[in-house]
Amino acid sequence: MGPELPTEALSDEALLALVARGDEEAFRTLFRRYAGSFLALARRMGLDGAAGEDVVQEAMMRIWERAKEFNPRRGSARAFLLTIGHHTAVDEVRRRAARPVPLEPDPEAEEAFDLPGPGLDEEAHLDRARLHRALKALSPEERRVLETLYYQGYTHQEAARLLGLPLGTLKTWARKALSKLKEVLREP
């Protein structure tokens, strides 16, 4: 057998498979890759530093416990991990009965809300550029719906009330917006 690859060189999918078997080094690597994104997401949802750290810790515990549930046929490892981080942040917002702050352009926050990876490398820059292009493909109403649901952490009912939309309309716009994002992000 050849030498083993360092965990930093492994894909997220490979790391999740190792974590599912109890590999602590793989878990530490996932922590290094994703803790910053989880913390930035918590801040964008209105949580302070201590609450954000709680989100990171809880999200990582959930990843440790649920790594066996990851199925690459249902989506990417990145989507699996970021979904856990998002749900954990929403749970923390609700638990603390805090209301998130509105999403405002903030250059420092934009830098902090970076995609996971070893730093500001070319791939992360390209991912951010693709995401910004995809968001521009949405109508202002669709962007507002997604921001309210996913960045601010409101439920569908709360978002509909907040935006003054019928619940069915909000859900339709959200579904269409996510479908548009998916299509634009698939493009090379």
Side-chain angles (χ1 to χ4, degrees):
M1 272 178 91
E4 288 187 30
L5 285 175
T7 58
E8 294 293 335
L10 297 176
S11 68
D12 292 341
E13 287 78 8
L15 291 170
L16 272 173
L18 291 170
V19 170
R21 293 188 295 218
D23 187 307
E24 292 179 13
E25 183 57 35
F27 181 72
R28 282 191 286 278
T29 299
L30 282 177
F31 181 90
R32 286 189 296 273
R33 284 186 189 174
Y34 285 88
S37 293
F38 296 160
L39 186 59
L41 177 61
R43 286 186 181 141
R44 286 184 80 145
M45 292 177 72
L47 297 170
D48 63 16
E53 290 172 9
D54 290 346
V55 166
V56 172
Q57 182 176 356
E58 180 63 28
M60 294 310 298
M61 289 301 297
R62 289 179 183 183
I63 289 166
W64 179 258
E65 294 165 355
R66 297 180 185 169
K68 291 177 183 163
E69 297 172 16
F70 172 67
N71 180 349
R73 289 181 295 237
R74 292 178 52 202
S76 70
R78 179 185 300 201
F80 177 81
L81 295 162
L82 293 176
T83 297
I84 289 174
H86 178 262
H87 287 223
T88 305
V90 169
D91 290 347
E92 185 69 14
V93 166
R94 289 184 181 148
R95 189 181 73 72
R96 292 177 182 255
R99 295 311 326 148
V101 295
L103 196 62
E104 296 176 15
D106 179 2
E108 290 180 25
E110 284 297 315
E111 289 177 22
F113 190 69
D114 194 10
L115 293 172
L120 295 176
D121 60 13
E122 187 175 326
E123 183 178 335
H125 174 72
L126 292 175
D127 285 343
R128 283 193 311 280
R130 288 178 64 221
L131 182 59
H132 285 290
R133 184 184 71 195
L135 288 171
K136 286 181 181 180
L138 302 178
S139 71
E141 294 83 13
E142 291 168 331
R143 273 194 307 273
R144 191 168 51 248
V145 166
L146 290 185
E147 287 174 355
T148 304
L149 290 171
Y150 295 101
Y151 286 112
Q152 297 176 4
Y154 287 98
T155 65
H156 283 85
Q157 279 188 319
E158 292 169 334
R161 198 172 331 111
L162 182 71
L163 298 173
L165 296 170
L167 182 59
T169 301
L170 178 118
K171 287 183 176 183
T172 299
W173 286 3
R175 198 169 32 256
K176 285 181 180 178
L178 290 172
S179 180
K180 279 184 189 178
L181 284 178
K182 188 175 183 179
E183 287 303 313
V184 173
L185 290 172
R186 278 188 185 156
E187 297 171 5

